[in-house]
């Protein structure tokens, strides 16, 4: 899938299923969510999980930092691209994302905001190493979503601690393209 198709899919269905295990994968595959973030699994299960989700018509993003047995380097990206075949990768590190981009895969840089300094530093880092998308954590920070979108002009995904419909709506109103959540009841929004 290419970036413009992914954006159109998220504009139609703005909640991304965030899953950690095989049971979550089955629920996400049966949900109307158009995309899934794999926040768990291992090198032994990622290929099967991805195949099941692709078979259900979902875009799949592997979080390099959270899957067991994967390094956090270019070799892990290349191995995963060759054998797991996700649509893209999520990481807090720009180097593996850079390699993913070189391989033609979509990239999502996850940043954690704890104060205004982390927002400023994150924006400086993202300006120097722009991914395809930014995932801001926690996703309950509308003010930061507005600022990231305006200043970096990159699509923003709100993630983390979003458990209620109104929180999804708030993030979208603030300018987030989508919201990632592990709450299955929200995957139907």
């Amino acid at each position: 899938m290419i970036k413009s198709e992914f954006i159109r899919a998220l504009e139609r269905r703005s909640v991304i299923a965030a899953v950690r295990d095989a049971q979550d994968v089955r629920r996400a595959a049966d949900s109307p969510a158009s995309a899934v973030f794999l926040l768990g699994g291992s090198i032994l299960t990622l290929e099967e999980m991805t195949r099941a989700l692709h078979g259900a018509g979902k875009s799949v993003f592997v979080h390099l930092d959270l899957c067991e047995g994967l390094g956090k380097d270019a070799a892990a990206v290349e191995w995963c691209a060759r054998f797991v075949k996700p649509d893209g990768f999520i990481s807090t590190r720009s180097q593996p994302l850079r390699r993913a981009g070189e391989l033609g895969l979509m990239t999502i840089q996850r940043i954690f905001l704890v104060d205004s300094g982390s927002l400023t530093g994150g924006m400086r880092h993202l300006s120097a190493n722009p991914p395809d998308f930014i995932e801001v954590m926690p996703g309950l920070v509308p003010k930061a979503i507005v600022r990231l979108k305006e200043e970096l002009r990159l699509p923003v995904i709100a993630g983390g601690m979003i458990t209620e419909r109104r929180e999804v709506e708030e993030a979208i109103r603030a300018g987030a393209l989508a919201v990632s959540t592990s709450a299955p009841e929200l995957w139907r929004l």
Side-chain angles (χ1 to χ4, degrees):
M1 173 174 279
I2 59 174
K3 183 178 174 181
S4 60
E5 291 172 358
F6 182 60
I7 289 173
R8 280 194 299 279
L10 291 178
E11 288 171 343
R12 286 189 302 277
R13 176 111 12 226
S14 59
V15 176
I16 299 166
V19 304
R20 290 182 172 77
D21 57 32
Q23 181 180 353
D24 287 345
V25 166
R26 285 189 294 279
R27 285 198 303 214
D30 291 338
S31 81
S34 61
V36 178
F37 288 177
L38 289 177
L39 307 181
S42 75
I43 61 171
L44 301 174
T45 61
L46 286 173
E47 184 178 356
E48 181 181 334
M49 294 165 96
T50 300
R51 191 172 40 250
L53 291 165
H54 277 160
K58 313 297 183 194
S59 297
V60 179
F61 289 78
V62 171
H63 195 310
L64 289 166
D65 308 350
L66 300 178
C67 293
E68 294 178 17
L70 284 179
K72 296 163 183 64
D73 55 18
V77 170
E78 290 179 36
W79 180 87
C80 220
R82 184 179 301 166
F83 297 107
V84 176
K85 298 182 174 90
D87 297 283
F89 292 97
I90 307 164
S91 182
T92 58
R93 297 167 169 80
S94 58
Q95 188 169 343
L97 294 179
R98 192 173 308 117
R99 182 63 185 137
E102 291 167 357
L103 293 171
L105 296 162
M106 288 183 278
T107 59
I108 300 172
Q109 177 88 45
R110 182 179 265 192
I111 63 168
F112 292 93
L113 301 180
V114 294
D115 58 19
S116 59
S118 62
L119 176 60
T120 302
M123 289 183 10
R124 188 173 37 253
H125 175 77
L126 291 164
S127 292
N129 304 288
D132 292 311
F133 302 89
I134 303 163
E135 183 181 28
V136 60
M137 305 286 280
L140 304 171
V141 191
K143 184 176 177 179
I145 293 169
V146 169
R147 188 164 170 204
L148 284 164
K149 186 173 180 194
E150 287 178 355
E151 292 193 27
L152 296 175
R153 305 215 182 278
L154 293 168
V156 176
I157 298 168
M161 299 179 63
I162 295 177
T163 59
E164 298 176 20
R165 180 186 192 106
R166 71 171 178 75
E167 294 164 342
V168 171
E169 293 166 350
E170 223 174 76
I172 299 299
R173 271 195 308 275
L177 171 64
V179 171
S180 70
T181 180
S182 59
E185 61 277 10
L186 297 178
W187 298 347
R188 300 206 173 280
L189 298 180

